[in-house]
Amino acid sequence: MMLKLNNISIKLGDFQLKNIDLELERGDYYVLLGKSGVGKTVLLEIIAGLIKLDSGKIILNNIDITHEKIQKRKVGIVFQDYSVFPHLSVKQNIAYPLKGKKLTHQQIESLIHEYAELTNITHLLNRGTQKLSGGELQRVALARMLVTKPECLLLDEPLASLDVQLKGDLRNLLRKINQKGTTILHVTHDYEEAIALSNKVAVMHDGEIIQKGFTKEVFQKPANEFVANFTGIKNFFFAEFSPINIARINGKIEIHVSNHDQIKNGKIIIRGEEIIISENHIDSSATNNFKGKIIQIIPYFSNFELIVDIGIEISVVISEDSLFKFKFKENSEAWVSFKSSAIKIIP
Amino acid sequence: MNPKNHTPLIFTLLGGLILLFIVSPLLGMFLATTPAQLFETSKDPEVVKSIWLTLWVSFAATMIFAIGAIPLSYFLARTKFRFKGIINGIVDLPIVIPHSAAGIAILGFVSRDSVLGKIGSSLGLNFVGHPAGIAIAMAFVSIPFLINAARDGFENVPVRLEKAALNLGASPIRVFFTISLPLAWKNVLSGLIMMFARGLSEFGAVIIIAYHPMITPILIFERFGAFGLKYARPVSVVFIVVCLVFFVLLRSLAKERKSHDA
């Protein structure tokens, strides 16, 4: 185990973190997912030693670093506001952690260039930091941290204030950094980042971790309603099951389900990726077929979300290719179909 | 006409009167002094010697006391503790007490009977009537300007930058010298200039500690007492000009640095 958080608790005014347990293996890309204000940043700052915890232990490579000095922890934090030193140039910022490390001038220069190249900021090295964009500052902060070769990299909402294009670029960079062997703990409120980057994810709510595990498992088998809602599953409805294999939603629409637990009331979720949309009715094994109207088309990074009104609003995810092939447009009619086995029932 | 429209005019007039109040006595003094008198005075060895003494002692006092005042400012900016308000009040104390009273207090503190006086004596140094005593008196009355300005400067440095530097492996002392101090430098420098300028103009506290060697404010007082206004005026003009030159020079240096940083 590389980084182990053992029963961490802290009370800060009205806010508290309760019994946080988390384990990161070497090479993990672990995403801590939660709304703002749930304590994600506080947890990162506790690991980095910037905030003193009330109880619990932090173990890094089998060494207890709970009370270790900030500068000796070997965990590097990149803040959401980047915290690039405004009075130093880009190069001086990256060189900052290298000074006083008994390195020769040449070694320092070569390290600066290595990490400037990795983060694609070589052209900015001699610039001041005052006029850099958010994306550039983020890269400077990353290069400055990576040059220290931290055992574990802590990222606080690294993509939050970037535009779509930069987000994509930076995601690739973070993937590259992780693939090079850096263990990453990344805090975000955006489930797409978790899906895009992580191999493991922990969902935080109200100062507690309410579910953690491999990303796929957490997203496909949310432990409760909150996780299901939060992890971005849009098709989440209250349903009455009557007869038992029919889910009645808002008294309007009936969906065939496989209600093995024979429950009478509950929630159902349908993953947008598992819904088929077509221009005309198609005969298939899908037991649920509805005619509806496309009311909105929302572009995402690699695919599109179509909101279709079938009596209830349902979210369908399709690829860019499909969108252009079938020429789906807003306000046009379409058929949606999905199998009853694609529906998850949460009591 | 809307009565509100008179407001700027009234404010300008009142403000103008105050500016006139500041400028006219100085201007009157300058106009009452002939170039010949100025020339004579600026060659007077006693005047020259006293101006140099005033300049270097105030400068030395500023530099020496800054060694402790800057860390104190940092401490006050960064630490929260129960009696912080009282400490901040103590820092401002020299501004509010009469400077002659401050001089009396310092005299007790540095006289031969005091602990400091005894330590000085053992090293062959008598603070009373010595530039070292003058420096202590100047520092006493001018140090709040440095501490307050530097504290404001440090308060404006985001703590997060210091934490980021620590997280990058820098020791707290390196963080202070490479992050906190450079980022607060504009305020610290401004405080140093103010402390230096305030030290130059000190009279009340210094006259009690050291009539001799004579700093310029005391020389002006002595010339006035012994020979009258006519003889005190040229010394005052020369000293004001010197002070202004230094003040403007240092201010512009600070400004240049600011625009360079931007």
Side-chain angles (χ1 to χ4, degrees):
Chain A
M1 203 57 57
M2 187 198 186
L3 178 68
K4 193 172 176 196
L5 307 184
N6 204 343
N7 219 9
I8 287 182
S9 296
I10 187 173
K11 198 166 178 353
L12 297 166
D14 291 341
F15 167 82
Q16 56 178 342
L17 282 183
K18 288 165 271 183
N19 308 324
I20 302 285
D21 284 311
L22 206 62
E23 289 169 353
L24 275 77
E25 310 258 10
R26 189 170 294 280
D28 269 350
Y29 197 121
Y30 211 122
V31 164
L32 204 55
L33 191 59
K35 292 180 180 167
S36 52
V38 298
K40 310 183 299 284
T41 301
V42 171
L43 187 60
L44 281 198
E45 296 197 354
I46 285 175
I47 300 169
L50 309 183
I51 299 176
K52 296 257 176 285
L53 39 69
D54 292 343
S55 64
K57 269 188 181 172
I58 306 165
I59 313 285
L60 183 71
N61 289 330
N62 299 321
I63 298 166
D64 186 345
I65 59 159
T66 315
H67 303 292
E68 183 61 278
K69 286 178 185 165
I70 300 171
Q71 61 267 34
K72 303 216 162 141
R73 291 204 171 205
K74 293 180 181 166
V75 287
I77 186 165
V78 177
F79 295 100
Q80 190 176 358
D81 64 1
Y82 322 122
S83 292
V84 166
F85 304 136
H87 60 303
L88 302 179
S89 70
V90 171
K91 192 175 177 180
Q92 287 168 329
N93 262 281
I94 304 174
Y96 189 85
L98 299 173
K99 296 275 168 70
K101 278 203 166 170
K102 291 179 186 161
L103 295 170
T104 64
H105 177 72
Q106 268 179 337
Q107 284 171 315
I108 291 178
E109 284 288 318
S110 119
L111 278 167
I112 291 171
H113 282 276
E114 183 187 337
Y115 284 92
E117 222 160 88
L118 174 72
T119 50
N120 202 14
I121 50 168
T122 312
H123 60 295
L124 300 174
L125 278 178
N126 293 317
R127 291 257 303 268
T129 54
Q130 308 272 353
K131 287 179 184 162
L132 297 185
S133 70
E136 289 168 337
L137 286 170
Q138 182 66 271
R139 285 163 186 274
V140 175
L142 269 172
R144 185 182 68 179
M145 181 44 69
L146 290 170
V147 86
T148 67
K149 300 191 169 122
E151 297 272 355
C152 182
L153 184 59
L154 311 174
L155 304 174
D156 190 3
E157 298 273 10
L159 308 173
S161 46
L162 306 181
D163 62 37
V164 174
Q165 172 67 39
L166 282 174
K167 260 186 195 176
D169 292 350
L170 209 67
R171 271 185 191 175
N172 289 336
L173 173 61
L174 294 177
R175 254 185 227 118
K176 202 154 93 181
I177 291 165
N178 180 236
Q179 280 158 7
K180 275 177 153 251
T182 308
T183 308
I184 296 179
L185 179 58
H186 170 144
V187 151
T188 180
H189 65 279
D190 182 354
Y191 72 94
E192 281 205 19
E193 283 178 27
I195 295 171
L197 292 164
S198 67
N199 65 323
K200 287 177 190 159
V201 65
V203 182
M204 269 185 94
H205 181 54
D206 210 9
E208 284 180 279
I209 289 179
I210 53 174
Q211 190 178 1
K212 62 186 171 185
F214 289 104
T215 309
K216 208 174 162 186
E217 283 173 18
V218 172
F219 277 82
Q220 293 204 325
K221 293 176 189 162
N224 58 31
E225 292 171 21
F226 176 81
V227 179
N229 270 326
F230 190 71
T231 48
I233 293 154
K234 303 278 178 73
N235 300 319
F236 201 91
F237 307 106
F238 284 99
E240 277 175 30
F241 301 95
S242 142
I244 216 74
N245 281 332
I246 296 287
R248 200 180 297 274
I249 301 165
N250 296 347
K252 286 181 189 168
I253 187 164
E254 292 179 356
I255 294 176
H256 293 268
V257 294
S258 307
N259 189 354
H260 299 299
D261 295 321
Q262 309 265 309
I263 60 166
K264 288 189 175 162
N265 287 293
K267 279 185 166 185
I268 60 165
I269 56 174
I270 316 161
R271 295 185 60 79
E273 288 86 342
E274 297 187 36
I275 300 173
I276 290 167
I277 183 163
S278 56
E279 285 174 275
N280 302 305
H281 180 264
I282 45 173
D283 276 320
S284 70
S285 63
T287 47
N288 294 297
N289 296 283
F290 299 95
K291 192 178 181 185
K293 190 169 146 191
I294 300 169
I295 53 174
Q296 201 181 359
I297 299 176
I298 307 160
Y300 284 117
F301 297 108
S302 56
N303 49 34
F304 285 78
E305 184 187 9
L306 277 59
I307 309 291
V308 186
D309 187 356
I310 57 166
I312 51 170
E313 284 183 11
I314 198 153
S315 154
V316 183
V317 179
I318 61 170
S319 68
E320 193 174 353
D321 288 348
S322 298
L323 183 80
F324 290 118
K325 187 175 170 192
F326 293 102
K327 298 194 175 69
F328 291 116
K329 288 197 179 75
E330 284 181 359
N331 295 318
S332 64
E333 287 187 340
W335 281 82
V336 293
S337 50
F338 46 91
K339 302 204 285 189
S340 56
S341 58
I343 300 166
K344 184 173 166 65
I345 299 174
I346 298 176
Chain B
M1 193 194 266
N2 187 345
K4 270 186 187 168
N5 289 346
H6 292 305
T7 318
L9 186 67
I10 296 167
F11 275 43
T12 311
L13 275 173
L14 289 172
L17 280 174
I18 295 297
L19 282 178
L20 207 63
F21 168 70
I22 297 171
V23 171
S24 41
L26 293 171
L27 204 64
M29 184 168 69
F30 274 75
L31 293 175
T33 314
T34 64
Q37 280 175 318
L38 279 181
F39 186 68
E40 276 302 307
T41 311
S42 60
K43 284 203 310 185
D44 181 342
E46 201 184 6
V47 173
V48 174
K49 197 176 151 197
S50 116
I51 288 178
W52 276 120
L53 176 75
T54 317
L55 286 172
W56 83 255
V57 174
S58 182
F59 184 77
T62 305
M63 289 299 124
I64 292 165
F65 280 84
I67 296 168
I70 293 171
L72 173 63
S73 313
Y74 183 72
F75 176 78
L76 289 174
R78 281 289 176 261
T79 327
K80 282 183 191 158
F81 54 95
R82 211 171 159 194
F83 301 110
K84 193 170 167 181
I86 296 175
I87 303 290
N88 282 329
I90 291 173
V91 167
D92 284 335
L93 214 53
I95 296 174
V96 295
I97 60 172
H99 286 184
S100 49
I104 298 290
I106 298 164
L107 185 62
F109 181 62
V110 300
S111 69
R112 283 187 182 174
D113 308 329
S114 71
V115 178
L116 196 66
K118 279 176 187 159
I119 296 170
S121 292
S122 67
L123 298 167
L125 175 69
N126 181 10
F127 290 107
V128 181
H130 190 275
I134 300 174
I136 289 172
M138 281 178 171
F140 184 86
V141 296
S142 61
I143 208 158
F145 294 94
L146 171 59
I147 296 172
N148 288 334
R151 186 188 51 213
D152 291 348
F154 287 126
E155 274 170 358
N156 289 333
V157 176
V159 180
R160 183 149 281 215
L161 290 180
E162 294 173 350
K163 287 187 169 176
L166 284 172
N167 183 244
L168 289 166
S171 64
I173 195 80
R174 183 171 170 231
V175 173
F176 177 77
F177 281 109
T178 56
I179 307 295
S180 322
L181 192 57
L183 287 174
W185 184 243
K186 207 171 69 189
N187 286 62
V188 173
L189 187 61
S190 163
L192 287 168
I193 293 169
M194 288 306 292
M195 181 177 173
F196 170 66
R198 185 65 196 79
L200 290 181
S201 59
E202 183 49 25
F203 170 78
V206 175
I207 198 168
I208 294 185
I209 308 290
Y211 198 87
H212 288 283
M214 211 175 266
I215 59 162
T216 317
I218 296 176
L219 181 70
I220 294 167
F221 174 71
E222 200 209 37
R223 294 254 166 127
F224 176 67
F227 309 109
L229 186 61
K230 200 181 158 194
Y231 290 88
R233 205 151 41 201
V235 188
S236 306
V237 172
V238 170
F239 187 54
I240 288 172
V241 169
V242 170
C243 289
L244 283 180
V245 166
F246 266 86
F247 193 67
V248 170
L249 214 68
L250 288 170
R251 276 273 170 194
S252 60
L253 263 175
K255 231 178 198 167
E256 200 173 283
R257 195 191 156 84
K258 183 181 161 192
S259 60
H260 176 74
D261 286 349

